[in-house]
Amino acid sequence: MPSVITLGPLAVSTVVIIGLISVLAGFGAVSLFSKGVREDRKRYFDRLFTGLLIFILLCKFSPGLTDFSALVRQPALILYAPPGTIHLLIALSGFLLYGFFSFLRSNKNKEIMLSFLVFLVVSAGVFATVRYVVPAVFPLGAKESGQAVPPPVPGTPAPDFTAETLGGDSPGLSDYTSSPVILNFWATWCPPCK
């Protein structure tokens, strides 16, 4: 499974797309759970949206808790650095704590807590299935298409490959055998790269 899906000039991380699909599945499950009662559905969705916002904010800003010095040196990490496992756990803890406090504030309304649990179980289940199970069962990738470049081994020549430049040329690494080569891959959508 590719790590980035390119839609014209827009490049979107596969994990983000899978996350959005998972969140939509979670909201769909809560909608079915609310049994069509409009007031209940609005109340559940309001709280879930707030919990989801807390999750996203904690996921993006928790690197400041774990590696503050790197964040001070490079503030753009907040926007562009992918979250690590510890950041996801911090964000998930914030989501669950908000769900628990919503439960307490609603006079221990069990449906509120149940809506958070339904959302969490369905979203996590869809995410895990699409992200890990489907690629394991149906392996798609560079191996089958013959485009895989083996990882470099220290002390050996770099494997030859070609890549298209912004100008439309397709130079190969073997075109530069007479001098040292430094490769720097940039993304057109990445402001720090520019």
Side-chain angles (χ1 to χ4, degrees), residues 103-120:
F103 166 70
L104 293 178
R105 275 189 308 196
S106 66
N107 296 324
K108 298 185 180 177
N109 183 343
K110 291 178 185 171
E111 285 80 23
I112 294 288
M113 194 62 178
L114 203 53
S115 70
F116 271 87
L117 292 176
V118 165
F119 177 83
L120 187 64

Side-chain angles (χ1 to χ4, degrees), residues 69-164:
S69 61
L71 198 59
V72 169
R73 287 189 313 273
Q74 190 69 28
L77 287 175
I78 289 176
L79 294 175
Y80 299 107
T85 304
I86 187 70
H87 308 125
L88 291 173
L89 289 174
I90 291 169
L92 182 61
S93 299
F95 178 82
L96 290 174
L97 279 172
Y98 175 75
F100 181 70
F101 286 123
S102 291
F103 166 70
L104 293 178
R105 275 189 308 196
S106 66
N107 296 324
K108 298 185 180 177
N109 183 343
K110 291 178 185 171
E111 285 80 23
I112 294 288
M113 194 62 178
L114 203 53
S115 70
F116 271 87
L117 292 176
V118 165
F119 177 83
L120 187 64
V121 167
V122 170
S123 295
V126 168
F127 185 86
T129 301
V130 174
R131 177 81 168 114
Y132 300 109
V133 175
V134 170
V137 174
F138 305 105
L140 299 173
K143 269 188 184 177
E144 293 176 6
S145 65
Q147 298 175 354
V149 175
V153 177
T156 62
D160 190 29
F161 69 95
T162 60
E164 187 175 335

Side-chain angles (χ1 to χ4, degrees), residues 10-39:
L10 181 67
V12 182
S13 169
T14 310
V15 174
V16 170
I17 293 172
I18 295 170
L20 289 174
I21 292 168
S22 303
V23 165
L24 290 174
F27 278 114
V30 171
S31 181
L32 291 173
F33 163 76
S34 64
K35 299 176 187 166
V37 179
R38 192 174 188 163
E39 295 80 26

